[in-house]
Amino acid sequence: MKTLIVVSHPNLTHSVVNKRWIEELKKYPDLYTVHDLYQAYPDGVIDVAKEQALVEQHGNLILQFPLYWFNCPPRLKQWLDEVFLYGWAYGSTSGYKLKSHKIALAVSAGISQEDFVEGGQYNGSLQQILQPFELTAKICAGRLC
């Protein structure tokens, strides 16, 4: 089953790393569906049912984004808030639609690895900064790879 790559970069044309990742992934359309949130929803109005169906049609989910103020860009946060709904992604009435999915992150930070260590510029690891995504995956019964 194909992997869904949800890309969230507010200025992809000026990106080096994220743009390169996408170019490479698009060479394998039988393996990956690249879904750019800023391109799909320039007005910021997300079609929740369409997005949930898209996730359900894929076996794995990768969230690709640059680190923004120790979080994801706003469109991805909006997408997570609106798509990962109680009763669909988690909750007692849910089918836990992400339960069988592997979830991974493809994150660019734009700074050196040494900045993400205890005592470094940000006094914490990238893994610590991204912990909310791991918790989200666990709540939705997915597995963060």
Side-chain angles (χ1 to χ4, degrees), residues 17 20 39 45 78 87 90 116 125 144:
V17 172
R20 179 69 180 103
Q39 183 179 26
V45 179
Q78 176 190 2
Y90 68 98
F116 288 111
S125 69
L144 190 65

Side-chain angles (χ1 to χ4, degrees), residues 13 50 116 124:
T13 57
K50 180 180 174 182
F116 288 111

Side-chain angles (χ1 to χ4, degrees), residues 2-139:
K2 288 174 71 170
T3 296
L4 176 62
I5 315 291
V6 175
V7 178
S8 183
H9 195 303
N11 198 355
L12 194 56
T13 57
H14 290 96
S15 171
V16 175
V17 172
N18 289 272
K19 186 167 56 173
R20 179 69 180 103
W21 286 343
I22 292 168
E23 290 168 358
E24 192 63 30
L25 290 166
K26 285 184 175 181
K27 292 179 183 178
Y28 305 95
D30 54 322
L31 298 175
Y32 306 107
T33 299
V34 177
H35 182 50
D36 182 342
L37 295 179
Y38 281 91
Q39 183 179 26
Y41 301 108
D43 60 358
V45 179
I46 294 174
D47 183 337
V48 173
K50 180 180 174 182
E51 294 299 306
Q52 289 175 339
L54 187 61
V55 171
E56 289 178 28
Q57 293 166 7
H58 290 80
N60 301 309
L61 174 64
I62 296 176
L63 305 177
Q64 179 185 334
F65 60 92
L67 202 58
Y68 259 54
W69 290 110
F70 311 101
N71 207 324
C72 61
R75 188 69 39 86
L76 180 56
K77 177 64 169 112
Q78 176 190 2
W79 186 86
L80 289 166
D81 289 346
E82 294 181 13
V83 175
F84 285 21
L85 294 175
Y86 179 85
W88 181 81
Y90 68 98
S92 62
T93 62
S94 171
Y96 285 89
K97 302 296 183 182
L98 300 171
K99 186 174 185 173
S100 62
H101 288 65
K102 288 184 181 177
I103 301 172
L105 302 177
V107 178
S108 60
I111 58 175
S112 69
Q113 186 175 358
E114 291 78 33
D115 290 328
F116 288 111
V117 295
E118 199 141 334
Q121 183 173 351
Y122 301 112
N123 200 30
S125 69
L126 192 55
Q127 184 177 2
Q128 289 170 314
I129 292 167
L130 297 172
Q131 189 175 21
F133 294 94
E134 183 176 355
L135 295 172
T136 298
K138 286 181 180 181
I139 287 171

